Amino acid sequence: MFEARLTNGSILKKLLEALKDLVTDANIDCSEEGLSIQAMDSSHVSLCAVALRSDGFDHFRCDRNISLGFNSQNLGKILKCADNTDMITLKAEDSADNLTLMFESKNQDRISDFELKLMDIDADHLGIPDTEYKTTIRMPSNEFKRIITDLQVLGDTCTIAVTKEGVRFSVTGDLGTGNVLVRSTNGVDKEEEEAVVIDMEEPVELTFALRYLNFFTKATNLGPSVVISMSPDVPVVVEYPIEQIGHIKYYLAPKIDDADE
Amino acid sequence: MGIKNLNKLLSEEAPECMKMTPLKALNGRKIAIDASMAIYQFLIAVRQGGEGNVHQQLTNEAGETTSHIQGMFSRTVRFLLEGIKPVYVFDGKPPTLKSGELLKRREKRAKAEAELKQAKEEGDLEKENQQNKRLVRAGTKENDDCKKLLRLMGCPVVEAPCEAEAQCAALCKEGKVYASATEDMDCLTFATPVLLRKMTFAKEAKAEIQVLEYAKAVKALNLTHDEFVDLCIMLGCDYCDSIGGVGPVTALKLIKEHKNIENVLKWIKREGKKLKVPDSWLPQEEKEKKEESEEEKEEEVDEKLKEVEEKEEEEVEKVEEKKEEVDAENKSEDANTTTTTSSSPAAAKAKAKTTGKVEINMSEPVYIGARRLFKEHEVLQDQTLNWKDCDGPGLTTFLVDECGFAPDRVASGIEKIKKAYKSNSKPQMRMDSFFTVKKAPNADQIAKKRQAEKDSKKKGGKKAKKSGSFSGRR
């Protein structure tokens, strides 16, 4: 038996918005610790990992570890039926073929429930080691979104370079070139959420497909800030912390000069 | 061709080794493609002429077939655009053990010829088209055309000393490529780690590819590699006959019980089972020397044909003159052993070291020879595979001037290759090149479910077939 209730149901709605363009099918893995989702896009270039801790829920019960395989478009459609202020409860039996979603409006005057057919998803699961990254950038999530949207006008590949100066996002395309330099706001009086904090051990420069970075910015509504971690020649991590409950992390493999050429 | 019923057996007994994936998921992968298989598919499928006509192969002004060139060109462009790096592997000399199989194919061919003649006389268009397709053959010229085209396109070409499937598997095992692509199931018997099938893109949008994983297959069948090879021989391969009256299910059961063919044969003898063991399987028996195949290139014809035939596409062919041409060519090839196909492996041998030279000893049971072919096939190792930029002017000369393709189509193709090459200079890495694949949290759940399904199916099957099963007492 699995049951989880979230007063702030909008988190789940936003989470699905953040997933559904990138990932077609995925598993919600439920355990005592909470819920997690790991899935890759169809090209296996990026990976998305969601973790929601059990203590972030208002009620959480999971007797046995289970995996609930869902189609993200379909789950998204059902979650669209919930209001932003609704309380959402997820329910599933141990060996169930359905996931029950219950939406309760704030003053309890409307209660709706939906059942989503589950599927068996037999996808590759990747082991992601805990790594220390050479640079970490914390910045407002909408600022990051704006940069990516702007750069996409010019081309499809973007270079992110972190130096002492700051973070430089550059793009080259048929139209021309573009650069956005973001400086650290250290010492300047600003709200924590609006600050740009750059933590750099050594300079890093990596190249990425903008298409995927754009998919990642769909998570902007989940939190005010985004944390970007990079090391040379490994995937970038774009993490959106979700207040008091967990995070959604996106990994994107870089474009690297071919070694054999 | 390939291994009889292996696909069906795997889908029933080891469904976890098979998966359908979209073409996209292969982005960035290097793939070894069985070129001969592809050429046959094109010769059969790429045709013109609508309903009510005799379908014609594409030809240039001089009347030479260009279907295979057209097909190879557009499919390779498609691969490159998807970020796939193809290596084409061409067949070398067929192993001596295959001569029996080749003989059978020749007979079928003769039959098809006769039927074609009949169809023509009767004016049965549909039948004529069908038989025309059965008569397709890829000679040295077709192979050379494709090699030339691929080199101009900047794709590496590997000329296998023997069977192309074995070479594909070897490249894959060495880690030079991610997977082998052929319809031929015996690639799996050669233990290619990953086999891709149905890479034909007949239907543009729904390009789903079947992925078979060797490791998962043997694990699910609970067999070792040696046992798996013996199982494939019992199912029926290209290299020798199989035991009469033993179907896939029985073959699997016998191999599981007795571990290898020798023990199975002993058991058959001991129990006095009435199974038809081919003469050639009996040890030390003087067997009639199978006539040496004089036609080196008589490859896979009818069987390949049959497989592809059901597939796609309109179109037809012209035939008789073309056929004569090819035949004439093959004859000259027979007379002259230093043709490209047969001599190139020898030349390549000087460069790369080869392994597993297979000698055929006629006095031993034929399945031992087949087993050796599967385990120590003659292949090239340490091949260097380079993907270069395409030779635009060269391609234009070849395709437009020599083959008579429309210049604008060729130009747009070249543009696409250039674009793909450019984006490949800084290739997109894949997630699994950084993080290792591990067991999914739901792996056990799914395995259990599958087992349950299998069991319930078996129960149902047994009920339906109370007696008459092979294991029943006589």
Side-chain angles (χ1 to χ4, degrees):
Chain A
M1 172 79 180
F2 158 73
E3 201 173 57
R5 189 165 61 238
L6 204 54
T7 312
N8 185 0
S10 68
I11 290 180
L12 284 180
K13 282 172 71 89
K14 290 173 192 161
L15 204 54
L16 246 289
E17 287 301 309
L19 271 178
K20 71 177 171 52
D21 292 336
L22 194 62
V23 171
T24 42
D25 302 320
N27 278 312
I28 306 179
D29 296 313
C30 314
S31 72
E32 274 187 351
E33 282 84 54
L35 304 185
S36 65
I37 301 171
Q38 193 204 74
M40 275 189 277
D41 71 285
S42 62
S43 303
H44 292 206
V45 163
S46 67
L47 181 141
C48 162
V50 178
L52 302 177
R53 292 185 308 272
S54 53
D55 57 35
F57 290 87
D58 305 292
H59 164 75
F60 193 90
R61 176 181 161 194
C62 180
D63 304 339
R64 280 178 55 192
N65 291 1
I66 53 169
S67 294
L68 311 169
F70 65 92
N71 172 288
S72 56
Q73 295 292 342
N74 295 348
L75 183 55
K77 279 179 199 160
I78 291 187
L79 282 168
K80 274 226 171 86
C81 307
D83 273 341
N84 272 329
T85 52
D86 278 1
M87 181 164 77
I88 297 183
T89 310
L90 305 176
K91 258 190 279 186
E93 296 299 328
D94 277 348
S95 55
D97 296 326
N98 294 305
L99 170 69
T100 307
L101 297 107
M102 195 160 78
F103 309 145
E104 294 164 72
S105 65
K106 221 165 186 176
N107 41 11
Q108 295 283 317
D109 54 2
R110 190 176 55 116
I111 299 168
S112 34
D113 66 276
F114 293 86
E115 265 189 17
L116 175 71
K117 279 194 189 128
L118 296 176
M119 46 208 263
D120 286 328
I121 296 164
D122 181 14
D124 288 341
H125 198 85
L126 298 184
I128 300 166
D130 280 328
T131 347
E132 289 282 313
Y133 285 90
K134 299 291 181 201
T135 63
T136 322
I137 307 142
R138 186 185 190 90
M139 64 192 286
S141 55
N142 47 21
E143 173 72 14
F144 178 63
K145 182 181 177 171
R146 181 170 168 202
I147 294 171
I148 299 302
T149 318
D150 290 353
L151 292 186
Q152 255 198 322
V153 175
L154 281 148
D156 50 15
T157 305
C158 130
T159 303
I160 307 180
V162 187
T163 58
K164 266 183 273 174
E165 224 188 332
V167 196
R168 183 183 298 275
F169 298 82
S170 4
V171 63
T172 308
D174 295 341
L175 295 185
T177 60
N179 286 291
V180 180
L181 178 69
V182 180
R183 285 218 184 91
S184 160
T185 44
N186 281 350
V188 185
D189 227 10
K190 259 196 178 172
E191 295 279 323
E192 200 197 324
E193 281 170 2
E194 281 166 36
V196 176
V197 185
I198 300 171
D199 183 6
M200 183 190 80
E201 214 173 286
E202 61 178 69
V204 178
E205 184 179 322
L206 289 174
T207 307
F208 300 101
L210 274 168
R211 198 173 108 83
Y212 293 95
L213 292 174
N214 185 49
F215 283 137
F216 300 171
T217 61
K218 306 271 189 242
T220 303
N221 290 335
L222 278 164
S225 53
V226 58
V227 182
I228 302 163
S229 311
M230 296 202 298
S231 281
D233 297 334
V234 298
V236 63
V237 188
V238 179
E239 176 183 352
Y240 292 85
I242 309 169
E243 206 186 353
Q244 288 181 350
I245 182 160
H247 62 249
I248 177 165
K249 278 186 190 176
Y250 296 98
Y251 296 80
L252 175 60
K255 293 184 159 195
I256 291 180
D257 284 317
D258 211 349
D260 28 273
E261 264 154 302
Chain B
M1 181 207 42
I3 308 294
K4 251 179 242 154
N5 291 325
L6 179 58
N7 200 0
K8 193 166 157 258
L9 183 72
L10 287 177
S11 66
E12 279 162 14
E13 299 291 330
E16 52 268 56
C17 77
M18 295 182 163
K19 214 161 50 174
M20 296 303 285
T21 65
L23 182 60
K24 253 188 176 173
L26 293 171
N27 144 59
R29 300 282 200 201
K30 295 173 181 169
I31 290 170
I33 297 164
D34 180 351
S36 319
M37 171 70 74
I39 294 173
Y40 273 101
Q41 290 177 335
F42 297 137
L43 285 175
I44 292 159
V46 182
R47 277 152 197 256
Q48 58 184 3
E51 221 166 291
N53 286 313
V54 173
H55 295 188
Q56 302 284 330
Q57 276 179 325
L58 306 178
T59 53
N60 64 6
E61 276 178 355
E64 291 168 318
T65 310
T66 52
S67 284
H68 54 297
I69 302 174
Q70 167 65 42
M72 191 64 103
F73 183 65
S74 46
R75 190 181 290 182
T76 309
V77 168
R78 178 88 197 274
F79 278 140
L80 292 170
L81 277 180
E82 294 287 346
I84 295 171
K85 295 177 155 189
V87 192
Y88 283 90
V89 181
F90 287 81
D91 269 328
K93 219 174 103 203
T96 325
L97 272 182
K98 209 171 181 174
S99 50
E101 172 74 18
L102 295 183
L103 198 68
K104 268 187 224 160
R105 291 180 187 168
R106 216 167 312 153
E107 280 163 12
K108 279 189 197 158
R109 189 180 168 79
K111 199 177 142 222
E113 240 164 87
E115 281 186 26
L116 173 67
K117 215 172 155 194
Q118 198 194 343
K120 269 200 178 155
E121 277 162 15
E122 289 169 9
D124 185 341
L125 272 178
E126 199 177 317
K127 203 167 169 194
E128 192 177 337
N129 282 337
Q130 188 186 15
Q131 298 303 339
N132 266 339
K133 287 185 181 178
R134 290 217 173 121
L135 280 170
V136 164
R137 62 184 304 170
T140 323
K141 183 181 173 294
E142 282 75 14
N143 277 306
D144 288 347
D145 286 345
C146 288
K147 283 178 207 165
K148 183 174 175 192
L149 171 73
L150 291 167
R151 291 198 176 109
L152 287 170
M153 290 175 85
C155 292
V157 168
V158 175
E159 293 175 56
C162 207
E163 298 256 47
E165 304 97 87
Q167 182 67 58
C168 289
L171 287 170
C172 195
K173 271 188 268 184
E174 263 188 287
K176 297 267 183 200
V177 297
Y178 165 74
S180 310
T182 172
E183 299 305 306
D184 208 335
M185 285 299 281
D186 54 11
C187 204
L188 214 58
T189 321
F190 288 115
T192 182
V194 182
L195 171 63
L196 304 176
R197 301 183 82 221
K198 306 186 180 167
M199 284 189 91
T200 47
F201 320 133
K203 293 181 192 90
E204 275 288 318
K206 280 193 207 155
E208 284 248 302
I209 291 162
Q210 187 181 31
V211 184
L212 288 123
E213 286 180 62
Y214 171 78
K216 283 188 185 167
V218 285
K219 195 175 164 226
L221 293 176
N222 196 14
L223 296 176
T224 63
H225 177 55
D226 292 354
E227 288 162 7
F228 183 68
V229 169
D230 277 14
L231 170 68
C232 292
I233 296 174
M234 299 239 325
L235 289 173
C237 62
D238 292 349
Y239 305 131
C240 61
D241 297 326
S242 56
I243 307 178
V246 175
V249 178
T250 322
L252 178 62
K253 192 174 151 263
L254 288 177
I255 287 289
K256 275 194 172 165
E257 233 166 85
H258 304 286
K259 302 299 173 207
N260 61 32
I261 293 182
E262 280 84 350
N263 290 342
V264 171
L265 292 178
K266 271 184 215 157
W267 171 83
I268 291 177
K269 216 173 165 189
R270 200 173 54 230
E271 301 282 311
K273 293 280 179 201
K274 273 197 185 150
L275 293 171
K276 202 180 164 291
V277 178
D279 292 346
S280 53
W281 281 41
L282 302 172
Q284 297 304 331
E285 215 178 45
E286 194 49 47
K287 283 160 244 143
E288 281 186 28
K289 277 217 164 176
K290 282 182 185 154
E291 47 182 320
E292 288 286 314
S293 151
E294 73 275 45
E295 279 178 76
E296 296 194 329
K297 285 308 291 176
E298 176 87 31
E299 291 273 298
E300 334 276 271
V301 179
D302 293 291
E303 295 287 343
K304 275 195 181 173
L305 246 170
K306 238 202 228 157
E307 264 201 23
V308 195
E309 195 178 54
E310 290 132 43
K311 281 180 205 157
E312 88 255 317
E313 318 255 277
E314 39 317 7
E315 282 83 34
V316 174
E317 118 165 91
K318 71 175 202 180
V319 162
E320 286 306 328
E321 8 159 6
K322 174 67 205 150
K323 221 213 114 242
E324 270 161 30
E325 232 173 83
V326 178
D327 272 353
E329 225 170 75
N330 277 317
K331 257 175 225 148
S332 70
E333 183 187 322
D334 301 336
N336 174 11
T337 30
T338 52
T339 49
T340 342
T341 354
S342 48
S343 74
S344 49
K349 242 179 267 171
K351 278 180 270 164
K353 73 173 184 209
T354 62
T355 55
K357 182 116 182 87
V358 181
E359 297 284 335
I360 308 301
N361 179 355
M362 274 310 191
S363 66
E364 69 183 3
V366 72
Y367 64 86
I368 293 184
R371 189 189 284 163
R372 199 162 36 220
L373 272 177
F374 280 123
K375 286 197 216 161
E376 327 161 3
H377 209 91
E378 190 183 352
V379 290
L380 299 173
Q381 299 206 312
D382 289 327
Q383 294 282 302
T384 22
L385 307 174
N386 278 324
W387 284 265
K388 294 190 285 269
D389 198 1
C390 72
D391 175 357
L395 273 176
T396 316
T397 325
F398 180 55
L399 294 177
V400 179
D401 303 345
E402 287 175 36
C403 301
F405 286 11
D408 50 334
R409 282 181 61 187
V410 173
S412 87
I414 292 174
E415 201 174 291
K416 281 179 192 160
I417 305 173
K418 294 243 181 229
K419 190 181 145 212
Y421 179 76
K422 209 172 128 204
S423 70
N424 256 340
S425 64
K426 228 175 162 56
Q428 172 68 61
M429 296 283 117
R430 294 170 61 92
M431 230 48 219
D432 38 19
S433 45
F434 297 101
F435 302 135
T436 47
V437 176
K438 63 172 198 186
K439 214 169 112 184
N442 66 340
D444 293 337
Q445 268 181 40
I446 288 185
K448 237 186 245 169
K449 221 172 191 173
R450 279 210 173 115
Q451 190 60 45
E453 268 169 28
K454 225 194 224 175
D455 291 348
S456 69
K457 227 189 254 167
K458 265 188 193 155
K459 260 181 214 158
K462 260 183 199 154
K463 254 178 224 163
K465 204 169 72 170
K466 254 184 190 163
S467 61
S469 83
F470 177 72
S471 53
R473 289 265 160 105
R474 285 180 301 131

